[in-house]
Amino acid sequence: MKKLLLTGFEPFLDNPINPTEEIVKALNGKTIGNYEIVGHILPVDFSASAVKCNQLIDEVQPDAVISLGLAAGRSKITPERIAINCRDGAEDNKGVKLVDAPIEDVGPAGYFSTLPIRAFVDTLNEAGLPASISNTAGTYLCNNVMYSALHKIEKENLDIIAGFVHIPASHQLAVKNPRLPSWSSRDLQDAVVAMVKVL
Ligand code: PCA
């Protein structure tokens, strides 16, 4: 049996709920396809989230890593194509705000996802769950975690596929923040299960 490290994030900024948390808690310990799911929630904290994710890679020794993040305002499931060596934007949950800060002082400009993102999108669309590849994971925590995991895997020559998938708001979050397009929790979870089955 292979192992999948599945990460989500705690709530952040004006999102009192992070639907990735619910999905990761629901799937933790389950077996999906060839994978046993090991789920963990990461803090929205520039100094801690990537460190924690990379520690989990050492502890769990997964065959694959899928990190999930909320992209409030997107209406589709969006597997990310690339992470870039930049931190910039809103403040994190510790009040830290970074401007044009590299993630790694000596690191490549970007890393492509090593997950089968085209197959994810095709499978989801065939299942009636709207999805498209995103060409930017932004410059906030999600990009930071994706870049740092791929950097570790490259540097240490690990046999692990990894990448990031942004998901839309859940209906529960849209009740609190009514301008957001939203999905049912069931559909969000089904989409993540469908992507794991692709692996
Ligand atoms: N989404 C944010 C950080 C945490 C999350 O779930 C992002 O897209 O960077």
Side-chain angles (χ1 to χ4, degrees), residues 9-10 12 18 20 44 68-71 137 140-143 164 166:
F9 275 107
E10 64 184 7
F12 64 104
N18 193 326
T20 65
V44 175
L68 301 174
L70 166 67
Y140 196 48
L141 271 298
C142 296
N143 175 71
F164 202 96
H166 268 117

Side-chain angles (χ1 to χ4, degrees), residues 6-9 12 15 18-20 23 44 66-84 113 115 117 120-121 124 129-147 163-170 183 187-188 191-192 195:
L6 182 71
T7 70
F9 275 107
F12 64 104
N15 306 298
N18 193 326
T20 65
I23 295 171
V44 175
I66 299 181
S67 295
L68 301 174
L70 166 67
R74 286 192 192 167
S75 57
K76 295 179 180 182
I77 301 286
T78 47
E80 296 294 343
R81 193 190 300 275
I82 190 165
I84 61 172
S113 175
L115 297 174
I117 56 171
F120 281 177
V121 164
L124 289 170
L129 297 165
S132 61
I133 290 175
S134 160
N135 292 313
T136 174
T139 50
Y140 196 48
L141 271 298
C142 296
N143 175 71
N144 192 3
V145 162
M146 178 176 169
Y147 183 96
F164 202 96
V165 179
H166 268 117
I167 67 166
S170 59
W183 283 35
D187 284 349
L188 288 172
V192 174
M195 287 186 281

Side-chain angles (χ1 to χ4, degrees), residues 89-106:
E91 61 181 35
D92 69 10
N93 284 354
K94 287 269 170 65
V96 173
K97 181 171 167 49
L98 297 171
V99 178
D100 301 338
I103 297 169
E104 290 290 333
D105 286 334
V106 184

Side-chain angles (χ1 to χ4, degrees), residues 24-43:
V24 168
K25 285 182 178 159
L27 298 183
N28 181 34
K30 294 233 159 37
T31 298
I32 301 170
N34 296 325
Y35 284 86
E36 177 199 335
I37 311 295
V38 182
H40 284 276
I41 305 303
L42 301 175

